[in-house]
Amino acid sequence: MRSAVVVGAGLGGMAAAGVLARSGWQVTLLERADRVRPEATAVVLWPNGVRALRALGLGDGLDAIATPLPDGGVRRPDGHWLVQARSTPAERMPVVVHREDLHDALIAGLGDRVELRTGVTVRTVRAASGERPAVGDGRHTYEADLVVAADGTDSEIRRHLAPEAAVVSSGCAAWRAVIPWYRAPQLPDDQPVHGETLGAGYRFLAASLGERGTAGASRRGGVYWVATAAGAPRPEPPEIQLALLKRWFAGWPAPIGTLLEATDPEDVVQQEIRELRPLPKAYGFPAGPGGVVLLGDAAHAMPPHLGQGACLAFEDAATLAGLLRESRLPDAVTAYDRLRRPRAATMVRQTRRMSAVLQARGRLALRARDAALGTISPRLRNTAAAAAAAWQPPS
């Protein structure tokens, strides 16, 4: 029986561990934290992410936990429309999913061939040509035919194998929250939840997660919002951070103020936005009879402006699984590198172009951005959407 060690029990790591186990592999899933617990936020999945989940065999339950996310347009803080809402074909419409619901689906898909070990911090990596790949924590060595590095932006495995890839700040921080269904405000018809508002260094997006699931459905309802601001993360406690958000976004169009008032401090999750510059020179490293691959943020951490982080991680897992069904190790590792590097580079390039538009600051830059946004933003979004939609799992 073939064996794999997957390092990191985030969304991408669990997806990879589950599909390998369902394909007959014996999998050891290592997680640094003492518990595997998702953030109480949400994730947007574009059509390529949905397609990847279906390729991973996890599509059956997705409809029960996903809410379609229509285009809500883009406004300035004074309410002026920069980009009007548009009708989006169903096949190109993203969906929003509560992370806890998605986490539950991934846990259910692990099966009994996955051994989960928590509290394991990988410190050593072995990827020599004459030996089976392995990782170690200083006490134990975990050896397998394949090692999947899904250990996030600060990947220790990537640091050993692709030291050229540096983690840098994207120059902003994000705050995310889900207002649960029982506290979500009832909004008038002229105040749709879906939409984006863009200011000078500040951005606010919101989406409905729908109603709480009825009998037989696990979906957690509520309203999901994301606020970004230029600068470093705030050191203050959540109560003060929420008060700052209310001050920063005071006077912005409804329903932003209503949503912030309905948010409790414990709902808010702060995150520094970081990325890899440059990207790794390789995503696959043949070693002995197998090899090591980089997956998810360990391979291509990027700003969230196009919502492709989780989608690309699921693409990585689906691509890896498809190649392992078609090819023998280490050929599958080489093919994974050949397929995933140009794909990730394309999506990172699209994200950086959008970042340049969204993060414009200064009076002249903002005037130029607002004047051109009606043309530039849809074109960039359409280009990114087309690039995302073009992905297909290996046949």
Side-chain angles (χ1 to χ4, degrees):
M1 179 182 296
R2 295 181 294 179
S3 62
V5 172
V6 178
V7 183
L11 297 179
M14 286 197 294
V19 71
L20 289 174
R22 292 190 297 276
S23 301
W25 290 60
Q26 186 64 46
V27 181
T28 301
L29 178 58
L30 306 179
E31 169 57 37
R32 176 183 299 181
D34 293 331
R35 295 177 57 191
V36 178
R37 180 172 54 190
E39 293 178 350
T41 60
V43 59
V44 174
L45 298 176
W46 288 83
N48 57 313
V50 173
R51 191 178 300 125
L53 281 176
R54 298 194 187 284
L56 291 166
L58 299 171
D60 290 345
L62 184 61
D63 293 339
I65 61 175
T67 303
L69 183 58
D71 188 330
V74 183
R75 294 178 294 179
R76 287 195 318 219
D78 61 5
H80 175 77
W81 286 99
L82 296 171
V83 181
Q84 292 283 348
R86 298 170 300 165
S87 176
T88 304
E91 65 273 12
R92 296 186 65 177
M93 187 180 296
V95 298
V96 59
V97 184
H98 200 294
R99 278 184 178 267
E100 292 179 350
D101 287 335
L102 187 54
H103 176 268
D104 290 347
L106 293 171
I107 286 289
L110 291 180
D112 57 6
R113 284 184 173 169
V114 177
E115 178 187 5
L116 174 61
R117 298 190 180 186
T118 58
V120 178
T121 300
V122 168
R123 304 182 188 280
T124 61
V125 181
R126 187 177 73 203
S129 59
E131 300 178 284
R132 293 179 79 206
V135 294
D137 65 352
R139 296 174 300 171
H140 304 285
T141 297
Y142 301 91
E143 183 181 270
D145 299 310
L146 176 70
V147 173
V148 178
D151 49 343
T153 304
D154 294 311
S155 170
E156 184 68 14
I157 298 175
R158 186 196 64 241
R159 190 178 70 82
H160 280 79
L161 300 181
E164 71 280 358
V167 180
V168 300
S169 172
S170 298
C172 59
W175 290 261
R176 296 179 171 87
V178 169
I179 307 170
W181 64 274
Y182 54 85
R183 279 197 279 110
Q186 295 295 319
L187 300 174
D189 293 339
D190 62 348
Q191 292 183 14
V193 171
H194 303 294
E196 175 180 353
T197 309
L198 190 60
Y202 295 88
R203 186 187 189 200
F204 195 97
L205 302 93
S208 172
L209 288 166
E211 301 295 332
R212 180 176 172 83
T214 56
S218 62
R219 185 174 65 188
R220 296 166 171 86
V223 176
Y224 171 53
W225 60 258
V226 183
T228 58
R234 304 294 303 196
E236 297 90 351
E239 293 82 1
I240 297 178
Q241 292 184 31
L242 182 56
L244 286 172
L245 290 171
K246 292 177 181 178
R247 183 198 307 169
W248 292 341
F249 293 97
W252 284 42
I256 293 174
T258 303
L259 295 180
L260 290 174
E261 286 297 333
T263 303
D264 286 349
E266 57 266 25
D267 298 333
V268 181
V269 177
Q270 181 186 215
Q271 177 189 10
E272 181 184 14
I273 304 302
R274 298 179 299 157
E275 59 188 288
L276 293 180
R277 284 182 179 261
L279 293 175
K281 294 179 180 178
Y283 286 167
F285 305 85
V292 180
V293 298
L294 303 180
L295 183 147
D297 284 346
H300 38 65
M302 68 184 79
H305 303 310
L306 291 177
Q308 283 295 316
C311 296
L312 287 185
F314 293 142
E315 281 188 24
D316 291 342
T319 300
L320 179 63
L323 292 172
L324 290 171
R325 286 191 294 267
E326 297 175 359
S327 307
R328 300 178 62 181
L329 287 171
D331 292 342
V333 173
T334 302
Y336 176 86
D337 176 66
R338 185 178 66 251
L339 290 176
R340 294 312 297 164
R341 272 194 300 118
R343 170 64 175 169
T346 296
M347 298 313 300
V348 168
R349 184 167 57 251
Q350 298 291 347
T351 297
R352 289 175 180 169
R353 288 175 178 172
M354 183 59 74
S355 296
V357 173
L358 297 179
Q359 295 183 9
R361 303 184 71 183
R363 181 177 300 176
L364 293 179
L366 286 172
R367 286 180 178 176
R369 181 200 69 185
D370 292 351
L373 194 60
T375 301
I376 295 175
S377 182
R379 187 169 71 242
L380 286 176
R381 290 167 188 257
N382 289 340
T383 301
W391 179 84
Q392 296 287 342
S395 57

